[in-house]
Amino acid sequence: MSHVLAAVAWPYANGPRHIGHVSGFGVPSDVFSRYMRMAGHDVLMVSGTDEHGTPIQVQADAEGVTPRELADRYNRVIVEDLHGLGLSYDLFTRTTTGNHYAVVQELFEGMYRNGYIVPKTTMGAISPSTGRTLPDRYIEGTCPICGYDSARGDQCDNCGNQLDPIDLINPKSKINGETPEFVETEHFFLDLPALADVLRQWLDTREGWRPNVLRFSKNLLDDLQPRAITRDLEWGVPIPLDGWRDRSDKRIYVWFDAVIGYLSASIEWARRSGDPEAWRRWWSTDGEGKDAQTYYFMGKDNIVFHSVIWPALLAGYSGEGARDGVPGELGRLNLPTEVVSSEYLTMEGRKFSSSRRVVIYVRDFLERYDADALRYFIAAAGPESNDTDFTWAEFLRRNNDELVAGWGNLVNRSISMAAKNFGAIPPIDPAGLTEADEALLATARAGFAVVGDLIGRHRQKQAIGEAMKVVAEANKYLSEQAPWKLKDEADKPRMGTILHVALQVVSDANTLLTPFLPHSAQKVYELLGGTGVHAPMPQIVEVEDLDGGPAYPVLTGDYTQGTRWESVPLEVGRPLATPKPVFRKLDPSIVDEELARLGA
Ligand SMILES: [Zn+2]
């Protein structure tokens, strides 16, 4: 058993999340965490809402509410949506907690002491008409590196390079179209060049990463520049240095604070668990945390923050860059084992866009369809390693032809037949098993190693494909064995054997599918006569801020219960009832209905 950290990207709390957001990292990180727990590892899965920064400030201003009120609203919406999807966070919190502020400031101070955060006079953009600071992401222009014409002031989404607004060719304000003015201003910078060598050594030892992610990350090291980590802004974590602490106009930049959330959420989880030091089992480079494995899940637009900036912060705080230094009070911290980045999901051939109504929000989806239907689509056809298009026609086909006609049908017909003819799990005929029986049982048992290995290596599409192969083999077996033809009393022992084999394989396939389809896995488990928790589910709990701030909802759960990643022999004689269908067949008319809801 080892300690496994699943660090999941933090959704930005400026609106409800659409299915593109949860396809890339939400569901895949849950599949991974569920599997790792079932395989016996001690998993800590953390995330929360990212709530600082200019976009929330601007939106709150527009609505006439405080940024905190806006963040409160969408924090709750997002918590409920992730709960609806069954994402098994140990803690899903937020960045506006007292605990998060303290951890961010501790990292800032530690890095500053070690010389990896330095003050610098720089040129900042202001709006000529209002005199106010113009935040980076509200400045758009042509990327000086690749020529992409919609590069943002902080980053080019086309080539992935970090930018400064002043570098943009023909910069324009996205708020009112005017050309920004650049004036001198003082800020703190993260000295990335001083950490380049340690980052390179770390990246050179990474194994098993998706090749494009590793290549992209290494390329980023070739041209590392110091990067501003404070902004002219009121909404954020205060700068914890004398002369700065009490200023209301300067704040730590949102990306710097949000990325520290993985650590602060782990510490919050530990404080709430009754053992405030428990987080060290996943984070400390010595003691129990020494062999911990840490996996970070995100979309590809966020690779730079996880493969360069976050490890740079961890190394700098630990005193490991070119300026050396000493670790802060949290000690030396583990760098990521792997950065697991997904590609983009599009919708009916277009980019998701809330303003253009090319979108379906998680909430709306879950009102009309089951969580596992979406989870199945994401696992089988999501943007794991290629940009992928979500179409309603394909969603319908996957649901009806694969989930309902494949897996649902196997569950339904095998349990129905056994319930009708035996009322219980039938025994195996003393005459024994045929070659076909043995072959099917062996196929299912072999699935545990194959599917588990693939999930462990973040090949979930292949993994669910292998699990569904077991399902297909079992359906083929039932068709060939045709137990419904064995109506004579003399044939009943053989019928029982076939159904016993089929039900055993249903049970095994259900375990193989549990990380992907936890809601239906619990139902199938109960249909087979199982009692108690098979697939544990998260809960929404209202908690007090540990450091005196306002209360808030978190997503958490007890995941120590649940089925292990192994074949469990079915108990002969366990009562069975005629099952209700586990999956819903969808009417083809939903395709036109959903397309009509999308903007033209
Ligand atoms: Zn570019």
Side-chain angles (χ1 to χ4, degrees):
M1 185 192 79
S2 55
H3 295 100
V4 174
L5 178 76
V8 190
W10 289 53
Y12 198 58
N14 66 337
R17 298 296 89 184
H18 57 64
I19 62 167
H21 290 129
V22 296
S23 296
F25 51 87
V27 171
S29 59
D30 184 59
V31 170
F32 177 77
S33 297
R34 285 180 178 277
Y35 161 70
M36 291 306 251
R37 289 189 194 108
M38 290 172 78
H41 298 292
D42 194 357
V43 174
L44 183 65
M45 177 176 172
V46 290
S47 186
T49 43
D50 174 6
E51 303 182 0
H52 293 120
T54 44
I56 282 177
Q57 174 86 64
V58 167
Q59 197 174 326
D61 289 349
E63 293 188 21
V65 297
T66 65
R68 171 75 194 212
E69 285 168 340
L70 189 86
D72 281 349
R73 184 199 310 162
Y74 291 117
N75 161 258
R76 189 169 291 274
V77 167
I78 292 168
V79 163
E80 289 171 1
D81 287 352
L82 302 182
H83 175 259
L85 287 166
L87 305 186
S88 58
Y89 291 98
D90 290 282
L91 184 67
F92 185 90
T93 177
R94 57 194 304 187
T95 57
T96 45
T97 66
N99 176 76
H100 180 70
Y101 275 45
V103 175
V104 169
Q105 293 182 330
E106 167 60 21
L107 256 75
F108 189 107
E109 283 182 270
M111 297 209 50
Y112 180 78
R113 264 197 314 272
N114 286 342
Y116 299 106
I117 288 178
V118 290
K120 204 172 150 181
T121 300
T122 176
M123 302 302 280
I126 60 164
S127 159
S129 60
T130 66
R132 284 177 70 174
T133 301
L134 197 51
D136 292 345
R137 56 195 299 155
Y138 287 108
I139 305 169
E140 205 171 68
T142 301
C143 174
I145 297 160
C146 74
Y148 179 59
D149 63 6
S150 304
R152 276 207 322 259
D154 52 354
Q155 185 179 327
C156 173
D157 285 339
N158 189 50
C159 65
N161 282 290
Q162 301 166 49
L163 301 173
D164 266 320
I166 203 165
D167 301 333
L168 290 174
I169 298 160
N170 196 16
K172 290 272 186 262
S173 162
K174 285 173 75 172
I175 297 168
N176 59 13
E178 66 189 0
T179 302
E181 246 174 57
F182 290 93
V183 298
E184 281 196 349
T185 178
E186 191 171 19
H187 277 293
F188 288 92
F189 278 66
L190 176 61
D191 190 359
L192 286 169
L195 295 154
D197 285 345
V198 64
L199 289 176
R200 199 177 304 279
Q201 285 163 22
W202 165 71
L203 278 175
D204 282 344
T205 59
R206 297 304 90 194
E207 284 170 10
W209 286 31
R210 292 179 182 151
N212 57 329
V213 179
L214 191 57
R215 198 163 46 238
F216 178 80
S217 303
K218 285 184 174 176
N219 285 343
L220 291 171
L221 298 184
D222 293 338
D223 187 32
L224 281 187
Q225 304 294 329
R227 186 160 171 150
I229 57 168
T230 55
R231 307 307 293 173
D232 296 282
L233 179 72
E234 304 108 67
W235 177 235
V237 181
I239 299 164
L241 300 176
D242 291 343
W244 293 83
R245 196 174 284 116
D246 299 324
R247 291 186 64 161
S248 62
D249 61 334
K250 301 262 181 189
R251 288 290 179 265
I252 292 174
Y253 204 178
V254 59
W255 61 258
F256 181 94
D257 108 58
V259 83
I260 295 170
Y262 301 118
L263 177 59
S264 70
S266 301
I267 292 174
E268 183 184 340
W269 169 84
R271 291 176 68 191
R272 293 189 183 283
S273 79
D275 176 4
E277 300 300 316
W279 62 274
R280 293 187 188 276
R281 302 204 291 264
W282 291 270
W283 286 94
S284 293
T285 60
D286 50 20
E288 275 190 286
K290 190 163 84 70
D291 299 318
Q293 298 163 46
T294 60
Y295 298 89
Y296 291 76
F297 294 85
M298 78 225 59
K300 66 178 166 186
D301 50 339
N302 270 321
I303 294 175
V304 62
F305 294 106
H306 296 86
S307 68
V308 174
I309 290 172
W310 178 230
L313 300 188
L314 291 166
Y317 180 81
S318 300
E320 284 168 2
R323 301 184 205 284
D324 295 328
V326 291
E329 64 183 43
L330 300 175
R332 276 182 207 276
L333 302 171
N334 284 322
L335 268 58
T337 302
E338 184 170 349
V339 170
V340 187
S341 160
S342 66
E343 307 290 305
Y344 292 137
L345 189 74
T346 52
M347 179 95 186
E348 299 288 346
R350 289 178 288 169
K351 273 178 85 165
F352 277 92
S353 162
S354 301
S355 56
R356 273 172 253 145
R357 292 202 295 131
V358 185
V359 72
I360 179 158
Y361 293 112
V362 170
R363 172 150 311 208
D364 297 333
F365 195 101
L366 294 180
E367 267 174 22
R368 303 201 277 276
Y369 310 102
D370 295 331
D372 281 6
L374 179 59
R375 292 180 63 117
Y376 181 79
F377 181 92
I378 291 170
E384 181 176 273
S385 50
N386 293 100
D387 290 347
T388 303
D389 197 29
F390 177 93
T391 66
W392 287 103
E394 180 67 356
F395 170 69
L396 177 83
R397 189 190 72 74
R398 293 265 182 193
N399 183 78
N400 285 0
D401 295 1
E402 297 179 6
L403 206 49
V404 177
W407 176 223
N409 182 40
L410 175 66
V411 169
N412 200 56
R413 64 174 171 158
S414 55
I415 298 177
S416 298
M417 227 179 303
K420 188 174 153 216
N421 291 284
F422 299 90
I425 306 275
I428 292 172
D429 182 358
L433 297 172
T434 65
E435 230 171 81
D437 301 341
E438 298 275 17
L440 181 65
L441 289 167
T443 298
R445 276 196 302 270
F448 287 90
V450 174
V451 176
D453 175 65
L454 287 166
I455 298 175
R457 292 190 291 118
H458 313 291
R459 309 290 195 276
Q460 295 187 4
K461 202 175 275 197
Q462 252 180 292
I464 198 167
E466 290 293 334
M468 291 300 280
K469 266 189 209 166
V470 174
V471 170
E473 285 297 317
N475 271 323
K476 187 163 151 252
Y477 167 86
L478 273 184
S479 302
E480 285 169 0
Q481 301 294 322
W484 49 88
K485 287 184 184 161
L486 303 173
K487 284 191 184 125
D488 294 347
E489 204 48 38
D491 290 333
K492 212 164 173 195
R494 177 59 195 155
M495 182 199 228
T497 302
I498 295 166
L499 291 173
H500 183 102
V501 168
L503 293 177
Q504 181 63 53
V505 173
V506 166
S507 172
D508 289 350
N510 191 46
T511 304
L512 296 177
L513 288 166
T514 297
F516 302 101
L517 310 173
H519 304 88
S520 43
Q522 178 71 37
K523 289 185 195 163
V524 172
Y525 172 75
E526 289 168 10
L527 291 177
L528 288 169
T531 52
V533 177
H534 170 81
M537 283 295 160
Q539 290 176 291
I540 299 173
V541 181
E542 305 288 330
V543 296
E544 296 298 318
D545 186 291
L546 293 167
D547 304 286
Y552 54 97
V554 299
L555 208 50
T556 185
D558 174 6
Y559 310 115
T560 56
Q561 306 291 308
T563 297
R564 285 310 178 96
W565 191 255
E566 63 194 7
S567 173
V568 179
L570 285 179
E571 217 181 295
V572 172
R574 202 202 263 168
L576 292 174
T578 302
K580 279 189 248 138
V582 177
F583 300 102
R584 285 195 293 156
K585 189 170 179 184
L586 297 171
D587 192 276
S589 64
I590 66 129
V591 174
D592 285 342
E593 284 165 26
E594 293 293 349
L595 288 175
R597 285 193 180 97
L598 291 179

